[in-house]
Amino acid sequence: NMKHWVIGGHSLGGTMAANYVNKHRKDFERIFFLASYPVAQYDLSDDEIQSLSIYAENDGLVLLETIYEHKKYLPKNQVIEIIKGGNHGQFGYYGIQKKDGSASITRTVQQKETLALLVKWLQGNY
């Protein structure tokens, strides 16, 4: 029997995770966003849920201005991290994405850093 539920996603997957949490607020303790954010219709700012947002410095699709513009929709208990040298596509394995920035670190490095941040957050070390 599960006691603690976490949900999250990359890009539009993170936005859809926010949508799901918005409709099932009491079911989740944490939500994470990888190069993603909630939009106004999925506003989580009044929620007690903990959130982690991980962005990549060279992301050409989710720009830092957009991230900070949507920060107001994140829960109050939020952590934001930026992976230096990463880009949008290297959070996954789907190849080069049109309009994405060039990464100055490898996919392996970006994914290891992402995993380390997720584990740290899940263990409550923020």
Side-chain angles (χ1 to χ4, degrees):
N1 191 9
M2 297 296 293
K3 293 181 182 178
H4 308 283
W5 288 95
V6 176
I7 191 170
H10 171 251
S11 199
L12 289 175
T15 304
M16 291 302 96
N19 174 26
Y20 194 82
V21 166
N22 203 279
K23 293 176 182 174
H24 303 91
R25 288 182 179 256
K26 301 295 180 205
D27 295 339
F28 295 92
E29 289 186 15
R30 296 170 183 256
I31 185 170
F32 67 88
F33 299 92
L34 305 179
S36 184
Y37 47 83
V39 293
Q41 67 202 55
Y42 311 138
D43 185 353
L44 300 174
S45 62
D46 289 334
D47 206 306
E48 295 299 319
I49 194 170
Q50 296 178 41
S51 72
L52 172 65
S53 301
I54 304 175
Y55 302 101
E57 178 183 35
N58 299 331
D59 192 321
L61 301 166
V62 177
L63 305 176
L64 287 177
E65 304 88 65
T66 307
I67 292 163
Y68 288 110
E69 178 183 319
H70 288 84
K71 183 180 178 198
K72 63 188 171 196
Y73 304 124
L74 288 169
K76 293 176 187 104
N77 190 355
Q78 61 182 263
V79 174
I80 297 177
E81 293 282 357
I82 297 176
I83 296 183
K84 300 281 187 200
N87 72 1
H88 192 84
Q90 286 191 166
F91 281 111
Y93 279 98
Y94 56 86
I96 297 171
Q97 191 165 355
K98 198 176 196 179
K99 297 185 180 180
D100 198 1
S102 297
S104 60
I105 60 174
T106 66
R107 178 182 316 281
T108 300
V109 167
Q110 181 169 337
Q111 291 181 355
K112 282 183 179 182
E113 287 184 26
T114 301
L115 180 59
L117 291 169
L118 278 166
V119 168
K120 178 180 177 183
W121 174 70
L122 287 168
Q123 292 175 335
N125 293 323
Y126 272 97

